[in-house]
Amino acid sequence: MPPHVLILGGTTEARRLAAELAAHPGVRVTTSLAGRVSRPGPLAGEVRVGGFGGAEGLAAWLREHRVDALVDATHPFAASITANAARAAAATGIPAVVLRRPGWRPGPGDRWHPVTSLGAAAELLPRLGRRVLLTTGRMGLAAFAHLTELHFVARSVEPPEPPMPPDTQVLLARGPFTVADESALLCDHRIDVMVTKDSGGEATAAKLTAARELGLPVVVVRRPPVPPGVTVVPDVAGALERLGLDRP
């Protein structure tokens, strides 16, 4: 039976890895998506959608489908999925690796305010400005729902889930965005402060450049730590190396 790699996906890196693996003769690749995006882009190899039922459910799936290696290429803030993947890999003895793009680092001129959670970001906002751009995803607006005196512009690929702040304007848009795009957005909506998660990568970094050029403060939510003992690689090449595969 050909080697079978399960990718816990949804990120750009997951798609790239799936394409690389599918190009290897004899390698079977399955990408699992959580199903939170209604129109995911095309993926190489096999695709499954939906949860597994925790670490135990994932371990059972790994055994049933004879998976030989597991790659967690989920979003850096998908902490529960990463924890479940680590436990499932340990329970089954299947080799596992976490594929995480490097986080952002502030540079000269950046006015970053690092925090550990969305709740901490909400506590900080009233001291930084009244008009806020949220780029934290559609599921995080509840942390700001009590801030009735602030105006929020929430950008998301999918409609956000309530509750949300009463004075919220929702912008449905899918990146990547250019620095010019982001500068226009910040200026058109007269944004005072931006809130974002440290997702890392170049695809969503233009907003940080735009904020720096405009002198705006940015509240940056730090990533949750990965479970201890988990192997982390920064890119697709690193994942292929850990799997013992070269690029075809």
Side-chain angles (χ1 to χ4, degrees), residues 34-62:
R36 291 173 179 162
V37 177
S38 60
R39 292 177 297 164
L43 274 161
E46 302 171 35
V47 179
R48 72 172 299 278
V49 178
F52 292 94
E56 295 77 12
L58 176 55
W61 199 94
L62 295 173

Side-chain angles (χ1 to χ4, degrees), residues 3 7 11 31 36 45 60 84-85 129 145 152 197 220:
I7 302 173
T11 60
T31 301
R36 291 173 179 162
N84 287 339
F152 289 88
K197 293 179 176 178
V220 181

Side-chain angles (χ1 to χ4, degrees), residues 98-124:
V98 174
L99 171 54
R100 287 283 186 275
R101 68 182 81 116
W104 294 315
R105 295 291 181 268
D110 282 319
R111 297 174 57 196
W112 286 15
H113 297 265
V115 294
T116 57
S117 67
L118 291 175
E123 290 182 13
L124 192 59

